[in-house]
Amino acid sequence: MLGDNLDLDRIEAAGGIDTFLLASGASDCHVAFLPPGSARKGRTAVVELAESTRRDNLVTFPEFRSLDEVPREGVSVGLGTITRARALRIVLHGREKRTAASRILAHDGFERGWPATVVHDHPDAEIWLDREALP
């Protein structure tokens, strides 16, 4: 972790996070570069990106011409930090997000294998879908 609770101390000192806006990975429901299996109480850290996350980013960022150009690591704030926000919104748009939307909507609590389901553990959370993403 980067500085253990240093991220939380700095965020709290700045007044906290009002709204955390998330998007879910199309194939594995990753959020903030956090792959399936991520800890619910995770904090800011350099994380290894799952191959499924890297493949999703290959589609999301067309400037990457091959999977070899997609970074293997990223910095994430962690699910624990995300869920400390006063409000949490997750956006799923486009046909390619149907699988993710279906997985998220099929759960009613956090499922470690699908990080975006953390939305269900927040008292002020909403899932925003467009028609294309509806399962």
Side-chain angles (χ1 to χ4, degrees):
M1 280 194 253
L2 298 177
D4 292 333
N5 286 326
L6 187 58
D7 64 325
L8 291 179
D9 294 343
R10 288 180 177 174
I11 290 168
E12 293 302 317
I17 299 169
D18 287 322
T19 302
F20 211 110
L21 183 63
L22 294 170
S24 172
S27 65
D28 62 3
C29 286
H30 70 269
V31 291
F33 293 133
L34 296 166
S38 293
R40 167 66 180 77
K41 294 184 178 183
R43 301 288 181 228
T44 302
V46 174
V47 297
E48 183 176 341
L49 303 183
E51 185 169 331
S52 54
T53 301
R54 292 179 65 233
R55 287 190 186 284
D56 285 349
N57 280 284
L58 184 61
V59 173
T60 303
F61 302 101
E63 57 270 18
F64 294 130
R65 293 171 297 199
S66 73
L67 192 58
D68 290 335
E69 292 184 2
V70 179
R72 296 183 183 278
E73 296 180 321
V75 176
S76 179
V77 294
L79 294 174
T81 303
I82 290 168
T83 56
R84 290 178 63 98
R86 288 183 272 289
L88 181 58
R89 305 295 183 259
I90 189 162
V91 178
L92 298 151
H93 65 89
R95 196 173 64 160
E96 67 278 359
K97 299 291 178 132
R98 281 185 186 159
T99 298
S102 179
R103 296 275 184 167
I104 293 166
L105 295 172
H107 290 85
D108 59 5
F110 176 64
E111 170 59 46
R112 192 170 178 161
W114 300 99
T117 60
V118 75
V119 70
H120 296 300
D121 281 0
H122 196 283
D124 183 5
E126 294 178 7
I127 301 168
W128 296 345
L129 302 120
D130 68 5
R131 284 184 172 82
E132 294 276 319
L134 288 173

